[in-house]
Structure formats: structure tokens, C-alpha cells
Amino acid sequence: MGNTVTRKVHFLELGSTISLAHYISRCKKNLNLFLQYDDLKHREIEKGGIWIVFGNEAHDLDSMGCALVYAYLLSQEQQTSDRPSLILPVMNIPRNEAVLRKDNILALQIAGIPHEDLIYMDDIPIVDWASKRCLNIAICDHNELSPRQKGFEDFVRIIIDHHMDAEKYKDARKYIRFPTGSCSSLLASHILEKRPELLKDPVVSFFLRASILIDTKLFSDAGKTTPFDIEMCGKLLPISSATLRLSSDCVDDAYLYTILRRARLDTDGMSTVDIIKKDLKYSEDVNQKHLFAISTIKKDLTQLGLDDMTKKNDFMIQLANLMESSDENTPLHGYFILCSKNDQHKQLIASLRKSESDAGLNPSSLEKELQKGKEYGDLRLFGRRDQVPWPETISDESIFFAIYELDQPISRKQVLPFLTDWFSSQR
């Protein structure tokens, strides 16, 4: 891996390391030491700046891998710095939700990295670092912070992403290539340009390669796979049981894709609420008045265990409790779940907070908007109230419930902008 330069600042080891696995372990130790220090030592470390690198809040394999690898790249680039920064890869979810991403856990096991060594968003004093103006943020696999993190917009310094540019953070350095199937393809290209020797680390190549394979469905998804993804994957080390912790000697891309996808779809031992948290994204209306969350689930009501009215009622109360437990400074006005129904339809489960100032924030208003059949992403989004029995509210009527039937093919790419428009129309 070449020469390494490590400097100690109050016993924190900063600078380059011999491998990605070693770097991740060192980051957790550095954070734990930092949190034990007094204010005087904090100020000395904060002078060099504190960098956090994180992916999107869905925390899929691409987001996790890119956060780990890009933070490692930044740390390696500090070899010539007189005042090295504390650079930390941070997972953009609470620590207690990590076990819900079984494919991520499996990928870490293959790489020989204990998932306990990772740093999660609730492990760091991000508000304190922002107030001291020592915070620097690099974001991967998205180019716009979650509405719940908009208080940190002034600290976004670097963006590496494969989605359409939202054109935020004008002063940030941007590495955006759209369309591209995987952010890991873009990061692989970036490393080839900056520090190609890092790709000799089998763990670096593994995370990037695995993410590209998952995101492109082994290059079979014509809507996502680009020649660039195929080219960048070809630049990475092949999967090998000699350098990774794989139980099979018959290891190739197809094998890796199969075991990671199986883990990704595995919901054994999870509650229905756990399942919706696996793929939850937050958004808000253009007026920044209404915060809402939407999750996509490839299961129907029966598979979710919602096959009778009692179970449905209990589940909606759980959703209401999730809404009530949200940050009082950024309360959730809506919680939505897009799930399967049959080959022709999907279902949208809605939980809406009642508002005296927003008389239109109710299931009937949402149904009227769905019946207009507007186009989003070249697809017509048309829906209606589903006729299946469904609870309508909780006892104090502070939150409304409803379920809608949507025509296929519809995904979150259409539903999210639709909901943004609908909330934006409320006064």
C-alpha cells in the first residue's frame, strides 16, 4: 500500500494507514478518545478541522461502502498536511438500525470488519462541531442533505454522487456523473485519478465491486447499467476467497451478487416497523412547512402480517407513535409506505398528521390529487382509495390513516415528487 505517514495529536492517530480495515478500526478508537478529552484538547484537534463522510439515509451497500472508502481516500491525501484533520466515515442512520441492513452486515463480515467498529450518526456530537465551525462534510450517493439535516448545509464541502444534481451547495467541490448506475463506479474512477494504489487493497475493491454489482443487478438492469459502470468494475480486483472471508472456493461476481441480494431481502426476525425502516427516506415540500417520510417495501399486506383489522390497527398506532416521537423541531406531517398488491397495482399506506392550519391535509384531499393522473418521470400516477378495510384514525383523531390503490408501474421516483407537490399545495 506504499508509505504511510501517521501523526499523533493528543494520542489520536491521524494521517494515512496501511489498509482500509485498519483505518476503520482506528477511526472508532480516535472518536472514543476524542469524546473523553477536555475542552483544551478538543480545541487543539478542532483547529485542524473535523471531517465526516456519509452516504444517504437509506444506508444501502453503495452508501456505506462509498462513505468508508472515500473517507479512507481523504485520510490518505493528508500525508503532506502539517495539521492533519480528524476524518471519520459516519453511517447516516442510528446505530440501533444497523442490524436491519443484513447485506451490509454480511459485506462487512466478508471484508473482515466488525460492524461494531463503524461510527453512526448518533455516535458523534455533530451539533457541537457545527456550533464551533470546525465541521466539514463530504456526502456520497446523494447531493442534497436530508431535510432533517438542513441545519448543516453550510458545512458541505465535497459531493460525490451519481444522481441528477439538485444544484445545492454552490461552494462545494462536486464530482457528479449522471446517469451512472452506482456511486461506487464514480468513486472508483476518482481513486484511479487520485490514488490508484488504493485499489490494490482487496477490501477497497470489494466494497466498490459489490456495490456496482448490486446496483446494476449484475449488469442486467438496462435502466441503470452504463458502459462506465462496466468499465470501472473491470478496473477493480476480482473477488477472491484468498483475500476475503468467503466460505466458498467457487467465488465469482454471480456468487457475490447472489449472497448479498439474499441477505438484502432477508426480513426474518424483523417486525413490520423494522421492515419499513430499512428503506426510509425523508423529504419536504417546497415551502419547507411539511416534513414527510416514505418507505418502499416489496411485500404485500399479507406478507407484512397485516391480514386482519386488529393487526392493521396495531400497526397504524405504531406508525402514529413514530410520528409523535419525531424531533419536535422537525415534526413529521406524513408517513407513507409504498407496498405491493398484485401485478396491476401497488398500495400506498398513508398516515397524516391533522393540522388546524392545513384543512386540506386529509385523506380525501390526497385522493382527489391522485385521481388527476398527473405525470411524473414519464409515468402517469393515478390512484384511488382502496376498498380493503382500513383503520381511519387514532382515538384522539390527531392522525388520519388511509390506504390507496395505485396503477402499476409506479415507484418511489413518482410517488415522492407527487407527495412533494401535494404538501406544497397546502396552506
Side-chain angles (χ1 to χ4, degrees), residues 44-76:
E44 179 64 23
I45 296 164
E46 289 160 0
K47 285 179 183 177
I50 296 174
W51 280 83
I52 62 172
V53 183
F54 56 85
N56 65 48
E57 59 195 350
H59 190 55
D60 60 7
L61 184 56
D62 197 27
S63 278
M64 181 187 76
C66 284
L68 296 173
V69 173
Y70 193 60
Y72 180 48
L73 172 63
L74 289 180
S75 74
Q76 297 299 103

Side-chain angles (χ1 to χ4, degrees), residues 76-117:
Q76 297 299 103
E77 292 180 336
Q78 287 201 121
Q79 288 191 16
T80 58
S81 175
D82 293 330
R83 179 176 284 174
S85 303
L86 178 61
I87 300 175
L88 303 172
V90 179
M91 307 301 103
N92 199 5
I93 57 170
R95 177 173 287 276
N96 64 5
E97 291 183 16
V99 293
L100 303 181
R101 278 73 173 183
K102 294 186 180 182
D103 51 337
N104 289 2
I105 299 296
L106 175 58
L108 290 166
Q109 290 173 351
I110 293 171
I113 299 169
H115 79 267
E116 295 85 2
D117 278 358

Side-chain angles (χ1 to χ4, degrees), residues 237-416:
L237 293 176
I239 303 302
S240 170
S241 57
T243 55
L244 298 167
R245 299 186 180 185
L246 291 160
S247 56
S248 174
D249 291 330
C250 182
V251 174
D252 57 13
D253 287 347
Y255 171 79
L256 183 64
Y257 172 79
T258 299
I259 61 172
L260 287 173
R261 181 165 174 76
R262 185 186 302 132
R264 185 178 189 173
L265 298 176
D266 182 10
T267 57
D268 286 353
M270 294 185 189
S271 68
T272 307
V273 171
D274 288 337
I275 294 172
I276 67 172
K277 285 182 177 180
K278 277 187 63 180
D279 187 37
L280 190 65
K281 288 192 176 180
Y282 293 84
S283 190
E284 64 182 354
D285 69 303
V286 296
N287 305 309
Q288 299 184 344
K289 284 179 56 181
H290 303 106
L291 177 69
F292 63 93
I294 179 168
S295 177
T296 302
I297 303 174
K298 296 179 180 179
K299 293 178 181 290
D300 59 30
L301 295 181
T302 299
Q303 291 169 326
L304 287 171
L306 304 177
D307 47 5
D308 64 48
M309 200 62 178
T310 300
K311 292 177 181 177
K312 293 172 184 175
N313 193 65
D314 289 345
F315 174 62
M316 297 312 289
I317 290 174
Q318 287 179 296
L319 275 192
N321 290 336
L322 284 176
M323 292 179 68
E324 295 295 350
S325 64
S326 60
D327 187 341
E328 62 181 15
N329 295 318
T330 53
L332 271 176
H333 289 88
Y335 211 118
F336 300 87
I337 302 159
L338 184 63
C339 60
S340 301
K341 183 175 183 179
N342 52 45
D343 291 340
Q344 289 77 40
H345 302 99
K346 286 190 177 181
Q347 288 174 312
L348 181 67
I349 301 171
S351 180
L352 294 167
R353 185 185 299 275
K354 183 178 180 180
S355 172
E356 298 299 331
S357 61
D358 291 307
L361 205 63
N362 61 65
S364 296
S365 170
L366 183 57
E367 182 179 18
K368 286 181 181 178
E369 199 66 23
L370 281 169
Q371 290 177 338
K372 293 179 180 179
K374 294 181 179 178
E375 284 194 4
Y376 290 91
D378 298 325
L379 287 175
R380 183 169 169 266
L381 177 58
F382 182 83
R384 65 202 69 76
R385 288 286 280 271
D386 202 307
Q387 296 305 306
V388 300
W390 201 258
E392 295 184 354
T393 187
I394 56 177
S395 57
D396 63 0
E397 298 189 349
S398 61
I399 295 178
F400 297 122
F401 305 138
I403 186 166
Y404 305 89
E405 182 182 77
L406 307 181
D407 292 346
Q408 289 270 37
I410 288 296
S411 71
R412 182 162 53 193
K413 290 182 179 179
Q414 288 78 43
V415 176
L416 195 149

Side-chain angles (χ1 to χ4, degrees), residues 17-214:
T17 58
I18 59 172
S19 70
L20 174 57
H22 179 259
Y23 167 71
I24 293 170
S25 175
R26 192 183 69 178
C27 283
K28 183 67 178 300
K29 292 174 183 175
N30 278 342
L31 177 63
N32 289 339
L33 282 171
F34 177 87
L35 295 176
Q36 295 171 21
Y37 288 159
D38 56 29
D39 289 342
L40 183 62
K41 290 180 180 178
H42 279 179
R43 285 195 293 270
E44 179 64 23
I45 296 164
E46 289 160 0
K47 285 179 183 177
I50 296 174
W51 280 83
I52 62 172
V53 183
F54 56 85
N56 65 48
E57 59 195 350
H59 190 55
D60 60 7
L61 184 56
D62 197 27
S63 278
M64 181 187 76
C66 284
L68 296 173
V69 173
Y70 193 60
Y72 180 48
L73 172 63
L74 289 180
S75 74
Q76 297 299 103
E77 292 180 336
Q78 287 201 121
Q79 288 191 16
T80 58
S81 175
D82 293 330
R83 179 176 284 174
S85 303
L86 178 61
I87 300 175
L88 303 172
V90 179
M91 307 301 103
N92 199 5
I93 57 170
R95 177 173 287 276
N96 64 5
E97 291 183 16
V99 293
L100 303 181
R101 278 73 173 183
K102 294 186 180 182
D103 51 337
N104 289 2
I105 299 296
L106 175 58
L108 290 166
Q109 290 173 351
I110 293 171
I113 299 169
H115 79 267
E116 295 85 2
D117 278 358
L118 269 56
I119 299 169
Y120 292 85
M121 197 57 78
D122 51 349
D123 292 336
I124 62 171
I126 187 172
V127 174
D128 182 55
W129 290 342
S131 68
K132 293 176 178 176
R133 310 299 296 182
C134 65
L135 180 65
N136 302 280
I137 295 175
I139 57 176
C140 306
D141 202 21
H142 63 312
N143 59 72
E144 183 177 4
L145 292 179
S146 164
R148 299 190 302 166
Q149 297 169 332
K150 59 187 177 183
F152 308 116
E153 290 179 339
D154 291 345
F155 303 97
V156 176
R157 309 286 185 242
I158 299 175
I159 298 170
I160 183 162
D161 185 37
H162 66 127
H163 299 96
M164 185 178 292
D165 191 357
E167 299 184 355
K168 299 287 187 77
Y169 325 123
K170 300 298 184 182
D171 295 330
R173 281 183 282 155
K174 294 185 178 182
Y175 307 97
I176 296 176
R177 182 174 177 135
F178 172 82
T180 301
S182 176
C183 188
S184 290
S185 299
L186 183 56
L187 182 51
S189 175
H190 194 60
I191 293 173
L192 281 168
E193 178 184 342
K194 297 284 187 179
R195 295 269 172 156
E197 70 275 9
L198 297 189
L199 295 182
K200 295 178 182 177
D201 182 337
V203 173
V204 170
S205 274
F206 162 71
F207 277 122
L208 298 178
R209 190 179 194 91
S211 297
I212 295 171
L213 297 176
I214 288 292

